[in-house]
Amino acid sequence: MTTPAELPVNGNSDVVLVRQHVRTVAVDVGLSLVDQTKVVTAASELARNALVYAGGGRVRVEIVHNGLRKGLRLTFSDEGPGIPDIEQALTDGWTTGGGLGLGLGGSRRLVDEFDLKSAPGEGTLITVTKWAR
């Protein structure tokens, strides 16, 4: 697969499809089983966040290259209410949804690169990358 894929995240079944697609591409990229599990878990958390907090969104799944290394980049975007305090949102244990508060911070720890852009009223854009070793 060389063409980036755009997948909707508008319901629980979409979260499952995102997980399956990310797993397939992670195998294609050559990620180890452990790294496949990490990136699929991060994808699941981020897709679920888009669904729960923004009412849905989309994810772009693409294979990227850095010299001879291949990686998997996921870009989640939504048009939800945005995150007023990104630092606080990345703090383990902090949540507005009644969960464990591990989604964003946990996702950040599972990937090699993590970038979050958000502001109140402007939605959220999260880009994560996992590199094959």
Side-chain angles (χ1 to χ4, degrees), residues 13-132:
S13 61
D14 290 335
V15 175
V16 172
L17 291 174
V18 167
R19 288 177 61 90
Q20 292 170 341
H21 187 75
V22 168
R23 169 86 59 198
T24 298
V25 178
V27 169
D28 291 347
V29 167
L31 294 180
S32 69
L33 183 57
V34 169
D35 284 345
Q36 290 172 36
T37 302
K38 287 179 178 181
V39 74
V40 168
T41 301
S44 181
E45 287 292 325
L46 296 172
R48 183 142 320 278
N49 277 0
L51 184 59
V52 169
Y53 296 105
R58 62 200 152 279
V59 59
R60 178 181 174 95
V61 180
E62 59 190 318
I63 295 173
V64 292
H65 300 271
N66 181 0
L68 297 177
R69 286 181 10 172
K70 286 171 79 174
L72 174 56
R73 178 169 296 145
L74 309 173
T75 304
F76 292 84
S77 58
D78 67 59
E79 296 175 6
I83 301 171
D85 187 336
I86 292 172
E87 195 67 35
Q88 186 178 43
L90 288 168
T91 302
D92 284 348
W94 186 84
T95 180
T96 59
L100 296 176
L102 298 174
L104 288 176
S107 295
R108 179 171 58 175
R109 286 189 298 277
L110 291 170
V111 296
D112 298 317
E113 297 174 15
F114 181 97
D115 183 62
L116 189 158
K117 292 180 175 63
S118 186
E122 296 183 14
T124 301
L125 181 70
I126 301 174
T127 304
V128 299
T129 306
K130 189 70 175 170
W131 295 103

